[in-house]
Amino acid sequence: MNSILEIDGNIAVLTINRPDKLNALNRETIESLHDHLSQVREDRSIRVLIITGAGTKAFVAGADIAELAHLEIEGGEDLARRGQQLLFDFVEQMPKPVIAAVNGFALGGGLELAMSCHIRYASENAKLGLPEVSLGLIPGYGGTQRLTQLVGKGKALEMITSAGMISAAEAQEWGLVNKVVAQENLLTEAKALAATIARQSPEAIAHALETVRGGFEMSQKEALNNEIKHFGACFGTEDFKEGTSAFLEKRKPEFK
Ligand code: COA
């Protein structure tokens, strides 16, 4: 299996499992991840997903270079389109938070996958970069857009044009990862955050994810109107009744 899904209560961990190739993303791996992501999306009992890489060396060392080396123009476009639909956009559009636990190299498609996740934690040994121009390519799994959103145009263009890698500490300074921890604590820390998130209203979280994401596809005016719409929709949910009642009754909410 090129990916492994483990479910523990309301938290799931999805491991990209091709360690002998540094978890490089070939078609089979992307399809396997898509199947597991679909399962997580449909399973209402799962509140938060963590994505990590097998082994201690790599999160994902990029798209599989052996697989793309012989493609021509149409095949290249098809690879990017298919990957974006099945994996990268699919992760970003999940109605529940996805945390990347970046446990080593996150290069090319690996960094693009981490950037499709909503939150990123990294281990101290992680190295991040978009080396595509060293191969005569550009990032094709959303990297030109999501890196620019996360770190701004100047830093994004420095990373993309130099094909350079940055350390986990630098990535934190850049705002590319939220937190850096020792590798042995990475999953524990990611699970602790997941547990905190899992205690909040899943319906409100889904609205928040959709509203923040939508803001990148709309004008500021449309995005603020969209926020009004989603804010209003929260008032029609069971979670809103439970959250406000629990507060007034001085008890902890229990969201179903
Ligand atoms: N695609 C296909 N195979 C990959 C790969 C990728 N993106 N990244 C690593 N691998 C494979 C290697 O070919 C090697 O396979 P082999 O043992 O069958 O020869 C195995 O994974 C281990 O990698 P190796 O290069 O020997 O490890 P290293 O520690 O010397 O170097 C990296 C680690 C990450 C610096 C190096 O593997 C690398 O530069 N990878 C490509 C990164 C990249 O350009 N990604 C963007 C792709 S668009």
Side-chain angles (χ1 to χ4, degrees), residues 20-22 24 57 61-66 105 107-108 131-132 135 165:
D20 54 328
K21 295 286 180 193
L22 304 187
K57 197 167 163 186
D64 190 309
I65 299 169
F105 287 111
L107 302 175
E132 284 86 348
L135 300 165
M165 287 184 213

Side-chain angles (χ1 to χ4, degrees), residues 23 51-60 101-105 121-123 125-126 183 186:
N23 303 319
I51 300 183
T52 196
T56 52
K57 197 167 163 186
F59 175 69
V60 170
V102 179
N103 58 310
F105 287 111
Y121 277 13
S123 57
N125 65 315
Q183 187 166 59
L186 180 62

Side-chain angles (χ1 to χ4, degrees), residues 142-161:
T144 63
Q145 302 308 302
R146 294 192 180 102
L147 183 62
T148 309
Q149 286 164 12
L150 283 164
V151 305
K153 195 169 157 189
K155 285 194 166 72
L157 283 173
E158 180 183 335
M159 179 179 267
I160 291 169
T161 58

Side-chain angles (χ1 to χ4, degrees), residues 77-120:
E77 272 188 31
D78 185 57
L79 184 85
R81 189 176 301 110
R82 224 178 122 69
Q84 289 195 15
Q85 281 168 0
L86 288 180
L87 182 56
F88 300 84
D89 292 355
F90 200 80
V91 168
E92 189 174 56
Q93 289 165 16
M94 281 283 246
K96 43 193 99 184
V98 184
I99 303 171
V102 179
N103 58 310
F105 287 111
L107 302 175
L111 179 53
E112 289 171 302
L113 178 58
M115 293 192 298
S116 299
C117 297
H118 304 119
I119 298 166
R120 282 153 294 284

Side-chain angles (χ1 to χ4, degrees), residues 26 51 61 81 101 111-112 120 181 213 224 239 250:
N26 60 2
I51 300 183
R81 189 176 301 110
L111 179 53
E112 289 171 302
R120 282 153 294 284
V181 298
R213 191 182 61 78
L224 288 171
D239 281 4
K250 300 192 186 304

Side-chain angles (χ1 to χ4, degrees), residues 18 26 113 117 131 144 152 176-177 181 200 210 227 235 241:
R18 233 190 138 204
N26 60 2
L113 178 58
C117 297
T144 63
L176 188 50
V177 301
V181 298
Q200 318 308 322
E210 183 64 18
E227 186 181 273
F235 287 76
K241 283 184 204 143

